[in-house]
């Protein structure tokens, strides 16, 4: 016997005749005897020590005495009786089925068709009665009054031994088979056989399902006869009767009563020995067993007492199941008992090595996590002011302490415990390590399941504090707070966050002890409340550097994290054999760490980016750009701490984001290049090795920067250039100042590279065309043409002009499109216009290019030997389409041969003639279009207006008749001419005023 679920009490023992049927009605017993009489027994009230019953309408646990005898209640012995409480009727089965009204036993109805019936079943919800006689099944319905109405009558294959309603159907036990009868159409469906020895037994469950007996086995089926589960109730032998009183199934045997739990695996709970037991029925609060001449009542032991018994005997599952049956009004008691049982059960399982199951019960008990963590002494916990709730641990303080001490050794640190074992105990050490690993794995699952709710409460507390601080709540200033590095300030009395800190700190240690470093890393990457001091020490001791970095990051300890990263990078560099460190902690790791900090702490980013700027310059510059750190701030920091990388930063930044660099930074970058070039020039000059055609990498960068960017100050750079070198740089700077003549003179007479001069003219021309396409921009080529034709004049006082240009603060710079005016001299035939009218407009300029033919003669006489005619012919032939032909011809000397001008004049004349023909065609097309428009105008003016006798004036609404009329431009609105004139005069008067503009 597991425990006492029922107490057996003899209610009566002096029945003079054999008992055939028994039923209870309220607190009374109805006993059907073999002589056909009905004896009614009630509690014996003669005893003075009887305490008043808690329920007046239930059987009492006291002796019963005969109150009344109804002789001749039935002609034949009663087979069974049933009290229908909802209808206050007594149903009895004897030679037929009779209904008597309670409590006076007045006969209500007798179903004569039920004569010979041997079994019946009553559906109280619908008031349906089904019974079987011979090979027929009949269904009657109670009409609510004194009669019953027959509903159906079906034939069955054989005599019915047992039956029960199952929803809308009826389950029948016919000989050795179970069948489901459809109560609507009489269809039969087989379920399975009932066995060879025991008769069929159908038992209805409160849920509507059925238990079907097959020898000594009870099989669970649904209302349609389908098997519900694989488990079965196994009795000691085939029972004769089974009644259900939750949570137990009580079976009757000839010499005993068995009580089994309805929970899998349906264990035997209690056996009550009763000789010659014949009948078993369920009462309101008990189970009644009838013997030959006596009646025993089986009264349930109070649930609280059963729970105590089960807990004491170690049947925790049964005890928990009984807790769920406690009434709702005892909710607090139920919760306390369940918590107590869960904790006891958890300790029992923990002691027996079922760690995960133990943690499930700790979880169900809602016990504080510190209580569970006390089983793991190796787990270091932060100090806390949280006191566990004592009511959750009632009755368990002593047991818990003993169990905790007994199992504390299981969770000691493996590294500290295992070395104490001798070599002969290797197998024990392995087993111990496995056991410790299992305990920690169970703890991890427990903490992970508890974590969500605890962290949610902690986060909610943090959010509430932030809101209160934001609105300036008065009482928050009085709350004593402690700081947690990098995290929002946490109140000392913040129970939820302290509990979260305990949980996360313990969980991290358990993950590390079980080798789950990746899971520990994920924990630290998310929102966590790990204690920094404890976890830092553990991670440093175990060399869990990646986890330590995440710990620093989650607590905003970025400086410590970056120091550690730098240390790891340096160690990986010094020890090349540690390939793992090299891969994991490369300089790029520092850059990745710094990326999220650019917006919050740019100075920290600049400080630690200096450590990787030389090794990873491109990635570092990308960090500055992607993080939107102000370029001026970066430049000034580099200038102070890493001047050798300042130029590299500026050039990389310019290459990545040309528009994102300011003029000051562009100027500074060019100044840095120029300083390096001047230093290089000084060294070569001192060694007499300087050559204007030498280009160092820095000089190439300087030339490229001078040409491509425009944010620098050319005057300041020009002052730094030496007078006898770096002519190409000087030419570019002069060009930026729009001193095109001086720049071209440098290309031609100092560098002696006409190709550079021509490329310079192309750049100026294309830039001018892009800025103002409608304006002629070919005058820059005329300037170069003048330099070729008059080299002495352009080189005269060259250095002095540049010096004056640099020293003068208000230097007037000519425009790109300016050129010399051409003064035509009388006596010479005019040159025919070969280009458009716009090209023939010659503007005045400050360049010294205007001269007459006489000047050309004078020039040829003075310096004819120095004229660069080959370059002139080459320029005219290659850029004929960009040069004003009329002006170019006026600049050429008289002795120029037309044959040499053929590459220039040929395509120029061809283009001019094509343009003339195209313009002539365009003129003709426009004249034709003009004629078409005039023709359409004339056709529109020929509009016809028809005046009829019904035509009305739109102003006065009178008929037009034969009066003079006017038509509005839309051709439809007609008015009298007089009305039109009056309306016009009224408008003129309304608009007229002394302030009217004339």
């Amino acid at each position: 016997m597991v425990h006492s679920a029922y107490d057996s009490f003899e209610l009566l023992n002096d029945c003079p005749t054999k008992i055939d049927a028994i039923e209870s009605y309220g607190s009374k017993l109805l006993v059907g005897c073999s002589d056909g009489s009905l004896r009614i027994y009630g509690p014996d009230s003669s005893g003075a020590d009887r305490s008043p019953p808690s329920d007046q309408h239930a059987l009492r646990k006291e002796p019963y005495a005969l109150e009344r005898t109804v002789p001749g209640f039935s002609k034949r012995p009663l087979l069974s009786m049933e009290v229908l409480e909802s209808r206050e009727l007594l149903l009895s089965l004897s030679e037929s089925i009779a209904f008597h009204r309670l409590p006076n036993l007045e006969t209500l109805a007798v179903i004569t068709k039920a004569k010979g019936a041997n079994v019946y079943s009553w559906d109280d919800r619908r008031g349906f009665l089904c019974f079987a006689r011979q090979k027929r099944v009949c269904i009657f319905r109670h009409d609510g009054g004194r009669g019953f109405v027959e509903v159906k009558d079906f034939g069955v294959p054989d005599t019915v031994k047992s039956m029960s309603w199952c929803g809308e159907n009826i389950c029948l036990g016919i000989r050795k088979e179970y069948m489901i009868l459809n109560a609507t159409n009489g269809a039969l469906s087989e379920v399975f056989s009932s066995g060879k020895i025991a008769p069929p037994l159908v038992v209805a469950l409160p849920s509507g399902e059925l238990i079907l007996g097959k020898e000594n086995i009870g099989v669970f089926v649904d209302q349609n006869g389908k098997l519900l589960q694989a488990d079965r109730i196994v009795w000691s032998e085939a029972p004769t009767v089974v009644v259900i009183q939750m949570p137990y199934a009580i079976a009757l045997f000839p010499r005993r009563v068995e009580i089994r739990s309805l929970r899998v695996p349906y264990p035997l709970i209690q056996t009550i020995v009763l000789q010659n037991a014949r009948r078993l029925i369920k009462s309101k609060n008990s189970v009644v067993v009838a013997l030959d001449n006596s009646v025993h009542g089986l009264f349930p032991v109070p649930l609280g007492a059963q729970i105590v018994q089960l807990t004491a005997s170690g049947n925790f599952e049964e005890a928990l199941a009984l807790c769920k049956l406690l009434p709702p009004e005892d909710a607090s008691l139920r919760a306390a008992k369940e918590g107590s049982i869960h904790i006891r059960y958890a300790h029992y399982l923990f002691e027996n090595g079922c760690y995960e199951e133990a943690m499930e019960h700790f979880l169900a008990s809602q016990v504080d996590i510190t209580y569970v963590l006390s089983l793991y002494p190796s787990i270091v916990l932060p100090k806390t002011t949280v006191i566990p709730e004592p009511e959750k641990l009632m009755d368990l303080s002593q047991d818990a302490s003993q169990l905790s001490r007994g199992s504390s050794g299981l969770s000691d640190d493996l590294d500290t415990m295992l070395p104490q074992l001798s070599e002969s105990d290797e197998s024990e050490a392995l087993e111990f390590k496995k056991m410790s690993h299992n305990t920690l794995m169970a703890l991890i699952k427990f903490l992970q399941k508890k974590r969500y709710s605890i962290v949610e409460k902690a986060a909610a507390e943090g959010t509430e504090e932030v809101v209160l601080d934001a609105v300036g709540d008065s009482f928050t200033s009085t709350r004593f707070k402690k700081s947690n590095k990098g995290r929002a300030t946490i109140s000392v009395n913040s129970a939820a966050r302290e509990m979260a800190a305990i949980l996360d700190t313990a969980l991290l240690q358990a993950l590390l002890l079980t080798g789950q470093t990746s899971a520990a890393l994920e924990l630290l990457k998310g929102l966590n409340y790990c204690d920094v001091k404890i976890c830092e020490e553990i991670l440093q001791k175990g060399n869990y550097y990646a986890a330590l970095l995440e710990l620093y990051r989650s607590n905003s300890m970025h400086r410590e994290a970056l120091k550690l990263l730098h240390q790891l990078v340096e160690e990986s560099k010094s020890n090349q054999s540690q390939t793992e460190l090299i891969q994991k902690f490369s300089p790029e790791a520092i850059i990745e760490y710094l990326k999220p900090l650019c917006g919050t702490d740019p100075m920290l980013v600049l400080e630690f980016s200096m450590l990787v700027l030389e090794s990873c310059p491109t990635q570092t510059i990308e960090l500055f750009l992607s993080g939107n750190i102000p370029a001026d701030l970066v430049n000034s920091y580099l200038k102070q701490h890493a001047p050798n990388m300042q130029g590299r930063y500026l050039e990389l930044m310019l290459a990545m984001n040309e528009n994102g660099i300011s003029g000051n930074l562009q100027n500074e970058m060019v100044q840095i290049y120029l300083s390096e070039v001047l230093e290089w020039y000084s060294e070569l000059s001192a060694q007499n090795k300087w050559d204007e055609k030498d280009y160092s990498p820095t000089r190439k960068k300087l030339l490229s920067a001078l040409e491509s960017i425009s944010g620098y100050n050319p005057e300041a750079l020009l002052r730094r250039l030496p007078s006898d070198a770096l002519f190409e740089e000087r030419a570019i700077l002069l060009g930026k100042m729009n001193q095109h003549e001086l720049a071209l003179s440098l290309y031609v007479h100092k560098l002696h590279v006409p190709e550079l001069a021509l490329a310079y003219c192309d750049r100026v021309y294309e830039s001018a065309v892009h800025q103002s396409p409608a304006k002629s921009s070919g005058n820059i080529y005329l300037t170069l043409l003048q330099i070729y034709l008059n080299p002495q004049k352009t080189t005269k006082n060259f250095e002095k002009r540049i010096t004056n240009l640099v020293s003068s603060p208000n230097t007037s710079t000519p425009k790109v499109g300016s050129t010399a005016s051409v003064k035509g001299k009388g006596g010479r035939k005019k040159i025919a216009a070969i280009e458009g009218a716009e090209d023939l407009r010659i503007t005045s300029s400050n360049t010294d290019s205007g001269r007459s033919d006489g000047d050309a003669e004078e020039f040829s006489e003075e310096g004819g030997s120095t004229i660069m005619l080959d370059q002139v012919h080459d320029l005219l032939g290659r850029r004929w389409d960009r040069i004003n032909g009329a002006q170019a011809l006026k600049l050429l000397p008289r002795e120029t041969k037309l044959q040499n001008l053929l590459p220039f004049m040929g395509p120029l004349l061809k283009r001019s003639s094509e343009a003339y023909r195209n313009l002539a065609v365009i003129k003709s097309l426009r004249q034709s279009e003009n004629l078409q428009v005039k023709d359409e105008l004339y056709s529109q003016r020929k509009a016809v207006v028809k005046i009829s006798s019904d035509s009305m004036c739109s102003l006065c609404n009178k008929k037009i008749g034969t009066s003079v009329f006017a038509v509005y431009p839309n051709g439809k609105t007609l008015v009298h001419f007089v009305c039109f004139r009056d309306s016009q005069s009224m408008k003129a008067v309304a608009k007229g005023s002394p302030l009217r503009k004339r």
Side-chain angles (χ1 to χ4, degrees):
M1 183 178 69
V2 177
H3 75 283
S4 296
Y6 288 87
D7 288 334
S8 177
F9 185 82
E10 189 178 45
L11 299 177
L12 62 94
N13 58 3
D14 56 353
C15 186
T17 57
K18 189 176 180 180
I19 300 174
D20 287 334
I22 191 170
E23 183 59 288
S24 67
Y25 173 63
S27 62
K28 301 183 182 300
L29 284 175
L30 307 180
V31 179
C33 299
S34 58
D35 59 359
S37 64
L38 179 65
R39 292 175 175 266
I40 302 175
Y41 290 84
D44 187 2
S45 58
S46 60
D49 57 344
R50 303 298 180 195
S51 58
S54 58
D55 189 353
Q56 297 289 342
H57 301 286
L59 292 180
R60 303 180 190 178
K61 193 177 180 181
E62 56 186 75
Y64 271 63
L66 181 63
E67 292 184 351
R68 178 185 172 191
T69 301
V70 182
F73 182 77
S74 63
K75 295 180 180 180
R76 294 184 182 181
L78 291 172
L79 297 179
S80 63
M81 291 189 300
E82 182 176 353
V83 172
L84 312 180
E85 291 188 2
S86 63
R87 289 170 168 76
E88 289 292 322
L89 297 177
L90 173 63
L91 184 155
S92 60
L93 172 61
S94 180
E95 60 179 352
S96 62
I97 296 177
F99 289 88
H100 297 78
R101 190 175 299 280
L102 293 172
N104 54 11
L105 297 177
E106 174 192 353
T107 302
L108 179 68
V110 176
I111 302 178
T112 56
K113 195 173 182 178
K115 187 175 182 179
N118 62 319
V119 64
Y120 74 91
S121 179
W122 171 256
D123 184 355
D124 192 67
R125 179 178 63 86
R126 297 184 299 164
F128 274 44
L129 171 70
C130 66
F131 59 87
R133 61 180 183 87
Q134 297 177 358
K135 295 182 181 182
R136 308 293 297 179
V137 173
C138 300
I139 302 175
F140 279 73
R141 175 175 54 84
H142 184 214
D143 62 2
R146 300 178 60 88
F148 284 81
V149 179
E150 183 177 358
V151 178
K152 296 288 183 181
D153 186 353
F154 301 113
V156 292
D158 208 334
T159 303
V160 178
K161 300 294 184 180
S162 180
M163 67 190 315
S164 176
W165 283 100
C166 51
E168 304 296 328
N169 301 326
I170 305 172
C171 182
L172 306 176
I174 302 176
R175 266 198 188 177
K176 306 299 181 182
E177 295 287 338
Y178 290 107
M179 292 185 176
I180 299 295
L181 173 66
N182 188 315
T184 303
N185 54 24
L188 286 171
S189 57
E190 294 185 1
V191 181
F192 54 79
S193 64
S194 62
K196 296 180 180 180
I197 302 175
L201 178 64
V202 181
V203 181
L205 294 173
S207 61
E209 299 162 355
L210 300 172
I211 299 178
L212 304 183
K214 187 172 184 179
E215 304 295 355
N216 65 325
I217 297 174
V219 181
F220 291 86
V221 297
D222 64 7
Q223 295 181 357
N224 297 316
K226 294 182 180 179
L227 296 179
L228 291 177
Q229 53 196 24
D231 296 295
R232 309 283 189 264
I233 294 182
V234 181
W235 308 99
S236 59
E237 58 181 295
T240 57
V241 181
V242 175
V243 297
I244 304 298
Q245 191 172 55
M246 299 301 292
Y248 301 115
I250 301 98
L252 178 67
F253 300 92
R255 294 179 178 83
R256 67 189 178 279
V257 174
E258 283 188 8
I259 302 169
R260 289 185 178 270
S261 172
L262 284 175
R263 290 183 62 257
V264 179
Y266 312 108
L268 176 64
I269 301 299
Q270 184 180 2
T271 300
I272 300 174
V273 178
L274 293 172
Q275 296 292 337
N276 300 322
R278 302 185 62 203
R279 294 287 185 266
L280 178 70
I281 65 162
K282 180 179 69 172
S283 179
K284 184 176 182 180
N285 66 327
S286 60
V287 175
V288 180
V289 183
L291 283 64
D292 287 339
N293 299 98
S294 61
V295 177
H296 287 256
L298 305 183
F299 294 90
V301 175
L303 287 178
Q306 294 188 54
I307 292 169
V308 171
Q309 293 180 46
L310 290 169
T311 305
S313 60
N315 291 296
F316 302 105
E317 294 287 349
E318 291 292 334
L320 290 171
L322 290 182
C323 284
K324 299 185 183 303
L325 299 178
L326 288 171
E329 56 268 17
D330 295 336
S332 58
L333 175 64
R334 169 181 168 179
K337 282 188 175 293
E338 283 186 340
S340 173
I341 295 170
H342 277 300
I343 294 175
R344 287 179 180 271
Y345 195 15
H347 280 292
Y348 171 80
L349 293 171
F350 197 91
E351 286 290 320
N352 289 276
C354 302
Y355 306 113
E356 290 193 13
E357 293 85 348
M359 292 303 158
E360 288 294 333
H361 287 282
F362 277 130
L363 189 68
S365 69
Q366 298 295 321
V367 71
D368 196 89
I369 60 172
T370 55
Y371 182 84
V372 179
L373 290 173
S374 64
L375 302 175
Y376 297 83
S378 64
I379 302 294
V380 182
L381 301 179
K383 294 181 180 179
T384 177
T385 59
V386 178
I387 301 174
E389 298 179 11
E391 60 271 13
K392 292 183 180 179
L393 309 177
M394 63 180 187
D395 302 329
L396 295 172
S397 56
Q398 183 177 357
D399 296 339
S401 61
Q402 292 175 356
L403 290 169
S404 176
R405 291 172 185 171
S407 59
S408 62
L410 298 178
S411 57
D412 286 344
D413 194 342
L414 306 181
D415 297 333
T416 59
M417 292 295 293
L418 290 179
Q420 299 176 5
L421 301 175
S422 61
E423 296 180 0
S424 61
D425 297 334
E426 289 183 0
S427 60
E428 294 181 8
L430 183 61
E431 186 64 28
F432 174 81
K433 184 175 182 180
K434 179 181 178 182
M435 182 172 58
S436 300
H437 180 271
N438 293 339
T439 60
L440 290 171
M441 289 299 295
L443 177 65
I444 290 171
K445 292 182 180 180
F446 169 77
L447 294 176
Q448 287 174 340
K449 291 178 180 178
K450 295 282 289 185
R451 188 173 187 273
Y452 176 78
S453 59
I454 293 178
V455 170
E456 188 177 30
K457 290 180 182 178
E461 278 192 3
T463 304
E464 182 180 357
E465 255 186 28
V466 170
V467 172
L468 291 176
D469 290 342
V471 300
D473 199 350
S474 58
F475 73 92
T476 55
S477 60
T478 62
R479 297 174 70 182
F480 176 71
K481 295 182 179 180
K482 65 178 182 179
S483 63
N484 187 7
K485 290 184 180 180
R487 200 184 294 280
T489 55
I490 299 179
S491 305
V492 173
N493 60 354
S494 174
R497 276 175 286 179
E498 285 194 5
M499 195 59 64
I502 293 173
L503 188 148
D504 281 350
T505 304
L507 179 57
L508 179 66
Q509 295 177 64
L511 291 172
L512 295 176
L513 288 173
T514 53
Q516 301 182 66
T517 53
S518 59
L521 200 61
E522 290 299 321
L523 171 66
L524 292 170
K525 285 182 179 179
L527 174 64
N528 69 87
Y529 292 84
C530 292
D531 186 273
V532 177
K533 185 176 180 182
I534 295 175
C535 295
E536 181 182 23
E537 182 179 352
I538 293 172
L539 294 174
Q540 286 177 346
K541 184 179 179 181
N543 296 330
Y544 300 109
Y545 298 119
L548 183 57
L549 287 172
E550 289 300 331
L551 176 68
Y552 287 148
R553 190 202 305 268
S554 63
N555 288 275
S556 299
M557 300 170 63
H558 303 302
R559 184 173 295 277
E560 290 80 357
L562 290 167
K563 287 181 180 178
L564 175 62
L565 259 179
H566 178 58
Q567 175 187 346
L568 295 172
V569 171
E570 293 300 321
E571 289 178 0
S572 64
K573 288 181 180 178
S574 61
N575 190 359
Q576 297 295 328
S577 62
Q578 297 182 1
T579 55
E580 183 179 355
L581 280 179
I582 295 174
Q583 295 173 358
K584 216 169 192 180
F585 303 109
S586 59
E588 287 80 2
I590 297 179
I591 296 176
E592 289 298 322
Y593 190 96
L594 290 173
K595 282 182 179 180
L597 304 179
C598 292
T600 57
D601 197 348
M603 294 308 297
L604 184 68
V605 174
L606 290 174
E607 178 183 348
F608 283 91
S609 62
M610 297 299 105
L611 305 175
V612 294
L613 183 59
E614 293 186 6
S615 58
C616 304
T618 305
Q619 295 93 322
T620 308
I621 303 306
E622 288 179 353
L623 170 68
F624 296 149
L625 290 177
S626 62
N628 294 324
I629 301 179
D632 293 328
L633 178 63
V634 177
N635 181 64
S636 61
Y637 198 90
L638 289 173
K639 192 174 185 179
Q640 182 178 359
H641 296 87
N644 58 327
M645 296 301 296
Q646 186 184 7
R648 182 74 180 276
Y649 161 71
L650 291 173
E651 68 182 34
L652 285 175
M653 185 173 182
L654 183 65
M656 294 177 183
N657 188 8
E658 183 177 356
N659 298 326
I661 185 170
S662 64
N664 293 334
L665 295 181
Q666 293 181 13
N667 187 58
E668 190 155 356
M669 184 180 69
V670 175
Q671 293 284 2
I672 293 172
Y673 288 158
L674 181 57
S675 298
E676 294 182 10
V677 170
L678 290 176
E679 184 179 353
W680 172 64
Y681 163 74
S682 301
E683 292 176 0
L684 293 182
S685 296
Q687 301 173 9
N688 293 324
K689 295 181 179 180
W690 170 253
D691 187 355
E692 190 68 30
K693 296 182 180 181
D694 289 341
Y695 294 93
S696 67
T698 307
R699 190 183 183 193
K700 291 179 180 178
K701 292 180 183 179
L702 175 62
L703 291 171
S704 176
L706 291 175
E707 290 180 357
S708 60
I709 64 178
S710 58
Y712 57 85
N713 185 0
E715 290 86 351
L717 296 174
L718 197 60
R719 294 189 187 97
R720 297 184 60 188
L721 294 177
S723 59
D724 56 347
L726 302 177
F727 296 114
E728 189 171 353
E729 288 83 350
R730 187 186 298 272
I732 295 175
L733 293 174
L734 289 171
K736 293 291 183 180
M737 299 168 64
N738 289 333
Q739 298 295 327
H740 305 302
E741 183 181 1
L742 295 177
L744 290 171
S745 298
L746 285 176
Y747 285 122
V748 174
H749 300 303
K750 291 293 185 180
L751 295 173
H752 306 290
V753 185
E755 287 297 329
L756 290 179
L758 181 60
Y760 177 87
C761 292
D762 291 339
R763 289 197 302 273
V764 174
Y765 176 85
E766 292 168 1
S767 175
V769 170
H770 179 71
Q771 292 176 2
S772 55
K775 187 175 181 181
S776 177
S777 307
N779 293 330
I780 185 66
Y781 295 100
L782 296 178
T783 303
L784 179 59
L785 192 62
Q786 290 175 340
I787 294 173
Y788 286 152
L789 293 173
N790 194 357
Q792 290 185 353
K793 190 172 183 180
T794 55
T795 56
K796 188 177 181 180
N797 299 325
F798 181 77
E799 296 298 337
K800 186 176 181 180
R801 291 173 63 189
I802 294 179
T803 303
N804 294 337
L805 180 67
V806 174
S807 61
S808 176
N810 298 322
T811 305
S812 60
T813 58
K815 295 183 180 179
V816 173
S818 63
T819 184
S821 60
V822 179
K823 298 178 181 178
K825 201 169 186 180
R828 183 182 178 186
K829 293 181 179 180
K830 294 181 179 179
I831 300 175
I834 59 176
E835 294 194 26
E838 291 294 332
D839 293 335
L840 292 177
R841 296 177 183 175
I842 303 172
T843 58
S844 60
S845 174
N846 59 356
T847 57
D848 189 13
S849 61
R851 64 183 177 84
S852 62
D853 290 340
D855 296 332
E857 294 173 0
E858 180 182 355
F859 178 75
S860 63
E861 292 173 0
E862 292 177 358
S865 60
T866 60
I867 294 177
M868 305 170 69
L869 285 177
D870 293 338
Q871 284 77 7
V872 170
H873 297 155
D874 181 69
L875 174 62
L876 293 174
R878 295 172 65 179
R879 296 294 182 267
W880 62 269
D881 56 335
R882 297 185 177 183
I883 299 175
N884 188 306
Q887 296 183 36
L889 290 175
K890 287 184 179 182
L891 294 176
L892 292 175
R894 290 181 178 180
E895 63 270 16
T896 302
K897 296 181 180 180
L898 290 177
Q899 182 179 0
N900 295 333
L901 296 178
L902 186 60
F904 169 64
M905 297 291 293
L908 187 62
L909 291 173
K910 183 179 179 181
R911 186 183 67 176
S912 299
S913 60
E914 288 179 355
Y916 176 79
R917 287 194 300 272
N918 292 339
L919 291 174
V921 172
I922 292 172
K923 180 180 177 182
S924 300
L925 291 174
R926 287 181 177 174
Q927 288 177 349
S928 175
E929 183 181 6
N930 187 29
L931 292 174
Q932 292 177 2
V933 172
K934 287 182 178 180
D935 182 65
E936 184 178 359
L937 176 62
Y938 295 150
S939 64
Q940 291 294 331
R941 286 180 175 177
K942 293 180 181 180
V944 176
V945 179
K946 184 178 180 181
I947 304 297
S948 65
S949 59
D950 297 329
S951 299
M952 304 291 288
C953 174
S954 298
L955 293 178
C956 67
N957 294 325
K958 294 180 180 180
K959 292 184 178 181
I960 298 294
T962 59
S963 303
V964 180
F965 64 90
V967 183
Y968 278 88
N970 60 9
K972 298 180 180 180
T973 305
L974 301 175
V975 294
H976 290 108
F977 180 75
V978 176
C979 296
F980 173 73
R981 184 180 57 190
D982 293 343
S983 64
Q984 294 298 316
S985 61
M986 290 174 64
K987 290 180 180 179
V989 171
K991 290 182 179 179
S993 67
L995 299 177
R996 182 179 178 184
K997 293 182 180 180
R998 298 185 182 275

